[in-house]
Amino acid sequence: MPKKTATLKVDPRVRRTRRLLREALVSLMLEKDFASISIKEITERAEVAYITFFRHYESLDQLLMEILDDGLEGLQTHIETLAKQSETSALETEGMLIFEYIGQKVDLFRILFKSQSVTRVRKKVVQNIAAIFQKSCLPLARSGNPTATAMLSNHIATSLLALIEWWIDNNMRPAPAQMGKVYKNLIIDSTVGAVSSLSAVSR
């Protein structure tokens, strides 16, 4: 079973060791694929004893999933807030916050987009984001057509991740404030605008 402890009760030395292991794995994954990384490489880069790894994690997969889960939870929180917005200024602000968050966690998202070993995670992210919009975006929820709603929600999710990937590859330019406007105009407005035209899609 995963070795998890309530955050408030974790010894500072334990938090530090876990942070070092996480940072070591992230830095290695920016250099090569996850499948070719060993626990020995991680502990050497983290400058901790090999046996120390097993006091905190049972496997490399568990360490990777912890890293991804923590980072993606923040992204999905931003997106859930955004999905409930309807005013132009609010949509642009939340879009800006999403890209600011991506900028703070850019190494994590480089891993998400570039590593072949986390394909299953990317698919799960798309499903989670689509589910958020399907539930929280009122124009989609009110379409009355479950098939169209599911289709459009998936489109938003995949388009958002594609836009994030492009932005990272483009050295995080334009600035997040501009990307918030791009997000609203290119993804949200165009997708919501398609709701009525897809009302006849088979249910």
Side-chain angles (χ1 to χ4, degrees):
M1 294 293 291
K3 298 176 174 62
K4 290 190 176 181
T5 310
T7 303
L8 295 177
K9 296 181 181 179
V10 175
D11 185 282
R13 291 169 296 181
V14 172
R15 287 201 300 269
R16 178 180 178 278
T17 301
R18 289 180 179 172
R19 176 177 57 79
L20 291 172
L21 291 169
R22 289 163 60 125
E23 289 174 353
L25 178 55
V26 169
S27 67
L28 284 165
M29 288 188 70
L30 292 173
E31 299 171 8
K32 56 184 180 177
D33 194 61
F34 176 72
S36 64
I37 296 172
S38 68
I39 292 175
K40 187 173 184 293
E41 286 178 292
I42 292 173
T43 55
E44 286 180 349
R45 183 159 298 195
E47 298 185 339
V48 301
Y50 180 81
I51 192 64
T52 299
F53 180 93
F54 298 97
R55 295 187 183 126
H56 300 276
Y57 302 100
E58 294 180 352
S59 66
L60 285 179
D61 279 342
Q62 186 189 347
L63 172 58
L64 175 61
M65 291 311 299
E66 180 179 284
I67 293 169
L68 293 172
D69 285 346
D70 286 352
L72 294 172
E73 183 179 353
L75 174 63
Q76 289 173 189
T77 298
H78 280 305
I79 291 172
E80 188 163 14
T81 301
L82 174 61
K84 297 175 182 177
Q85 304 298 326
S86 57
E87 296 181 5
T88 296
S89 60
L91 283 168
E92 291 180 0
T93 298
E94 287 298 331
M96 176 187 71
L97 291 176
I98 285 175
F99 283 91
E100 286 181 347
Y101 179 80
I102 298 298
Q104 295 166 8
K105 305 278 187 179
V106 66
D107 284 348
L108 167 71
F109 288 96
R110 283 197 175 104
I111 289 172
L112 182 68
F113 293 124
K114 301 302 182 186
S115 176
Q116 295 301 312
S117 298
V118 296
T119 301
R120 68 185 187 282
V121 178
R122 287 195 293 273
K123 289 182 178 179
K124 185 64 175 177
V125 173
V126 169
Q127 292 171 354
N128 288 348
I129 293 174
I132 289 171
F133 277 97
Q134 196 166 344
K135 177 182 178 182
S136 302
C137 184
L138 290 181
L140 299 186
R142 291 170 178 168
S143 72
N145 186 330
T147 300
T149 299
M151 185 189 307
L152 292 169
S153 298
N154 185 76
H155 174 70
I156 290 175
T158 53
S159 298
L160 173 57
L161 290 184
L163 186 61
I164 290 171
E165 183 175 12
W166 174 87
W167 188 65
I168 291 173
D169 288 343
N170 200 51
N171 297 316
M172 296 186 288
R173 297 293 180 188
Q178 293 175 282
M179 291 306 296
K181 294 179 180 180
V182 171
Y183 173 84
K184 173 191 173 294
N185 295 330
L186 184 63
I187 299 178
I188 296 299
D189 288 354
S190 61
T191 304
V192 170
V195 171
S196 58
S197 64
L198 292 177
S199 60
V201 170
S202 174
R203 304 185 186 194

